[in-house]
Amino acid sequence: MDKYRLKISNISKSFPGVQALDKVKLEVKAGSVHALVGENGAGKSTLMKCLFGLYHPDEGSIEVDGQPVDIPDPDTALKMGISMIHQELNPIPDRNVIDNIWAGRFEKKGIVVDETRMKQKTEALLNDLGFNLPLEKNARYLSVSSLQAMEIAKAVSYDSRVIIMDEPTSSLTVSETRHLFRIIRNLKKKGISIIYISHKLEEIFEIADEITVMRDGRYIGKWEACDITLDDLIRQMVGHSMEQRFPAPESKPSSNILLKVENFTSEECHSFENINFELCNGEILGIGGLVGAQRTELVEAVFGLRQISSGRLIMNGHEIHNGCSKDAIHNGFALLTEERRTTGIIPMLSVSDNALAVAYKKLTGNTIGYINQKKLGNKVEDVCKELDVRTAGMNSLIMNLSGGNQQKVLIGRWLLEDSDILILDEPTRGVDVGAKYEIYKIMRRLAKAGKAIIMVSSEMPELIGMSDRIIVMCEGRLSGILDAAQASQEQVMRYATRFTNKAKEAL
């Protein structure tokens, strides 16, 4: 048998105005983890969609275990033993874990679904993977990490020979990522090949055997993971050397306190209590903590999306009330949400309409009458150029952009609004190393201009590398405040795990 489980040769795919893939190749060995990396817009997802039957390539060939195959649709791919865990999870929200895993493949007794057998199969599958999921709970009530685990179980259930994992750790904790890696290594032992797509380059070197780099829809090269350094990999991805991962600060935060958050408490789902912090003009304030620390819940409350039971906001010395998002926007706040697909983009509208969704009134001076579309279009083009948004045009549907380019459009939305306080919840999640650097530069520029930024981040290097100060949360409480210049990952983690249940009871 051919040592390669999968061979993709000279695959090309074009869309109107865009050559997405240009004679790309990929060779994946049996029982290996093959990382596929590149910037957003490099063509990684398009190539995988061709492999999974979601797109039909214009030219090229695909071989599985040495045999040429034609993959017209996902059902054919699954029957061939090729499964895909998409970056944007799409569960059936009102069906439980069992139904989501076995959708379309229910065991039956005659014409009736064999519920007992289905439950037994699911328990055996999850037990083999080491997952603990509530079988009867509907998907809409599961956490993102639980949904990720459910999708992995579903992919494995197809007896797959090739599993595509697109950003599988984007919503997982450190311990959950460790567990995923153990599962991947077990899958390797069974001869299963993993195509692993991730922008977290450190984990690529931990889990991958080989690495293929794509850039601008083209194949750049393939390396053994042990034969290439992180700096060399970044250079291959972006096409030039990057001297540092984080741009240096261009200014220091002002001593002027722009915002005070005093005694913020929310009893909704036992969320957070007695949170106090200050934010100065020109400051980037990081918020760290583990999943469940209630970081997102806190910033949503500051923005008026979550009710508080006590506490107040003081802005420029005056108390303000963000009773809803409209109030927050009026008071000069912006929020880039954690989940861009569900609470950020408007998928059926264009890039232009998404960028202007908040700023129409401010940019036109009215909500009715004549709107100068050319003037507005120029503003959108300017901000998209500034953020290096890769799109065929401003009228392209935002749903057709890569995840990272969607994120940049959403940042552009708030740049057009010209808010004073920007709350960025996981601003670079699913964004490649080059685009991250562009976002970081924008953050530095905004801070230099006197804007204040609150950044929630689960990436420790980003949290330390971009923040002026870091507040750390644990189980809904503020557990520490650190000067980022002197902070270490160990210190942040110590504060992030500070409050055990016994410690909380004693306080």
Side-chain angles (χ1 to χ4, degrees):
M1 183 172 62
D2 195 314
K3 71 173 182 176
Y4 290 110
R5 171 59 47 82
L6 173 71
K7 273 188 179 181
I8 295 176
S9 303
N10 297 317
I11 290 287
S12 295
K13 176 66 180 177
S14 62
F15 299 98
V18 177
Q19 182 70 42
L21 299 174
D22 185 8
K23 298 187 182 302
V24 175
K25 71 175 184 176
L26 179 67
E27 297 175 333
V28 180
K29 295 176 181 177
S32 72
V33 177
H34 196 110
L36 181 61
V37 302
E39 296 186 87
N40 286 111
K44 306 183 301 295
S45 293
T46 301
L47 180 63
M48 292 300 98
K49 287 177 180 179
C50 288
L51 175 60
F52 195 58
L54 291 168
Y55 291 158
H56 299 151
D58 301 329
E59 63 174 322
S61 63
I62 299 173
E63 294 181 10
V64 177
D65 286 330
Q67 300 298 315
V69 297
D70 178 45
I71 308 177
D73 51 56
D75 186 55
T76 302
L78 290 168
K79 289 176 180 176
M80 289 179 179
I82 301 171
S83 59
M84 183 172 183
I85 302 170
H86 298 269
Q87 178 181 353
E88 308 290 356
L89 303 177
N90 288 290
I92 307 169
D94 292 316
R95 305 299 293 182
N96 64 25
V97 170
I98 299 172
D99 292 344
N100 267 274
I101 290 176
W102 304 102
R105 301 175 291 154
F106 295 155
E107 294 272 348
K108 293 183 178 180
K109 282 184 177 179
I111 61 172
V112 179
V113 174
D114 189 340
E115 300 283 357
T116 301
R117 175 61 180 153
M118 293 296 300
K119 186 175 182 179
Q120 291 172 344
K121 286 181 63 177
T122 307
E123 288 175 339
L125 174 65
L126 296 180
N127 184 62
D128 185 52
L129 292 172
F131 288 153
N132 182 24
L133 296 176
L135 301 187
E136 303 297 340
K137 183 176 284 190
N138 284 357
R140 71 166 62 250
Y141 301 115
L142 296 178
S143 66
V144 175
S145 60
S146 293
L147 290 174
Q148 186 73 267
M150 185 178 73
E151 290 298 320
I152 292 170
K154 182 177 180 179
V156 173
S157 74
Y158 281 96
D159 295 325
S160 301
R161 291 180 284 176
V162 177
I163 299 178
I164 304 163
M165 295 186 177
D166 193 352
E167 296 287 351
T169 65
S170 63
S171 301
L172 300 186
T173 65
V174 173
S175 61
E176 287 168 336
T177 298
R178 300 274 77 76
H179 183 63
L180 172 63
F181 286 178
R182 287 194 295 270
I183 291 168
I184 289 174
R185 291 183 181 109
N186 287 335
L187 294 174
K188 280 177 56 179
K189 291 177 183 177
K190 297 177 182 179
I192 296 173
S193 300
I194 310 293
I195 300 176
Y196 194 92
I197 301 174
S198 178
H199 292 304
K200 297 180 180 180
L201 300 184
E202 287 86 354
E203 70 182 29
I204 291 291
F205 286 95
E206 182 175 350
I207 195 63
D209 300 300
E210 293 184 309
I211 304 172
T212 287
V213 176
M214 293 180 63
R215 189 194 323 138
D216 298 328
R218 296 181 175 87
Y219 169 85
I220 299 301
K222 179 179 72 172
W223 292 266
E224 296 282 339
C226 59
D227 291 339
I228 188 170
T229 66
L230 176 60
D231 288 342
D232 286 339
L233 181 61
I234 292 173
R235 189 177 301 110
Q236 295 296 337
M237 290 170 60
V238 302
H240 57 83
S241 177
M242 291 184 64
E243 299 300 326
Q244 54 187 13
R245 292 180 63 181
F246 304 103
E250 299 181 24
S251 61
K252 293 183 178 180
S254 165
S255 59
N256 177 64
I257 298 173
L258 176 61
L259 178 71
K260 286 185 178 181
V261 175
E262 296 185 347
N263 300 315
F264 248 46
T265 298
S266 173
E267 296 177 356
E268 186 178 335
C269 299
H270 306 288
S271 188
F272 53 84
E273 56 181 319
N274 298 324
I275 303 296
N276 294 271
F277 64 86
E278 298 175 346
L279 179 68
C280 295
N281 288 97
E283 181 178 24
I284 299 177
L285 179 67
I287 302 183
L290 303 177
V291 171
Q294 308 299 304
R295 297 165 301 168
T296 293
E297 289 78 4
L298 172 62
V299 296
E300 285 179 349
V302 171
F303 194 70
L305 295 178
R306 181 178 292 266
Q307 296 299 310
I308 59 171
S309 51
S310 64
R312 61 181 190 155
L313 295 174
I314 309 296
M315 188 170 181
N316 284 322
H318 302 283
E319 185 170 356
I320 61 170
H321 299 278
N322 287 347
C324 61
S325 58
K326 185 177 180 180
D327 291 342
I329 293 170
H330 176 75
N331 288 326
F333 289 74
L335 174 64
L336 185 73
T337 59
E338 179 181 13
E339 298 295 335
R340 62 173 169 267
R341 191 170 184 270
T342 54
T343 56
I345 67 168
I346 309 169
M348 297 306 295
L349 294 184
S350 68
V351 169
S352 179
D353 288 335
N354 270 271
L356 290 167
V358 177
Y360 259 123
K361 186 176 181 180
K362 174 173 284 191
L363 294 176
T364 60
N366 59 67
T367 55
I368 59 175
Y370 176 72
I371 294 177
N372 189 330
Q373 293 289 358
K374 183 177 180 180
K375 181 179 179 181
L376 292 180
N378 289 339
K379 290 183 178 295
V380 173
E381 286 186 6
D382 288 344
V383 77
C384 287
K385 183 178 180 180
E386 181 181 17
L387 293 172
D388 192 27
V389 177
R390 300 184 184 183
T391 175
M394 298 301 107
N395 292 322
S396 301
L397 294 181
I398 195 169
M399 63 186 290
N400 293 332
L401 270 60
S402 67
N405 283 306
Q406 290 176 0
Q407 187 79 321
K408 287 190 279 187
V409 172
L410 295 180
I411 293 173
R413 174 188 293 174
W414 294 111
L415 295 183
L416 289 170
E417 176 63 16
D418 194 28
S419 304
D420 295 315
I421 298 175
L422 288 87
I423 303 172
L424 309 179
D425 195 352
E426 304 288 1
T428 64
R429 173 170 289 175
V431 175
D432 65 77
V433 64
K436 279 185 178 181
Y437 195 79
E438 294 301 317
I439 292 172
Y440 296 151
K441 288 199 297 184
I442 292 295
M443 292 171 63
R444 293 291 193 210
R445 179 178 63 79
L446 291 170
K448 184 180 180 181
K451 305 295 184 182
I453 297 173
I454 299 173
M455 177 186 70
V456 176
S457 179
S458 297
E459 293 192 28
M460 200 78 75
E462 174 177 88
L463 192 67
I464 295 174
M466 283 301 298
S467 303
D468 296 299
R469 290 184 301 137
I470 301 169
I471 66 174
V472 187
M473 294 182 65
C474 176
E475 297 187 9
R477 302 189 65 176
L478 197 158
S479 57
I481 302 178
L482 299 168
D483 183 335
Q486 279 76 48
S488 66
Q489 296 193 24
E490 291 76 14
Q491 284 178 304
V492 175
M493 187 58 67
R494 190 179 303 119
Y495 280 119
T497 56
R498 178 180 177 187
F499 296 129
T500 64
N501 288 331
K502 288 183 178 179
K504 285 186 71 176
E505 290 169 4
L507 292 172

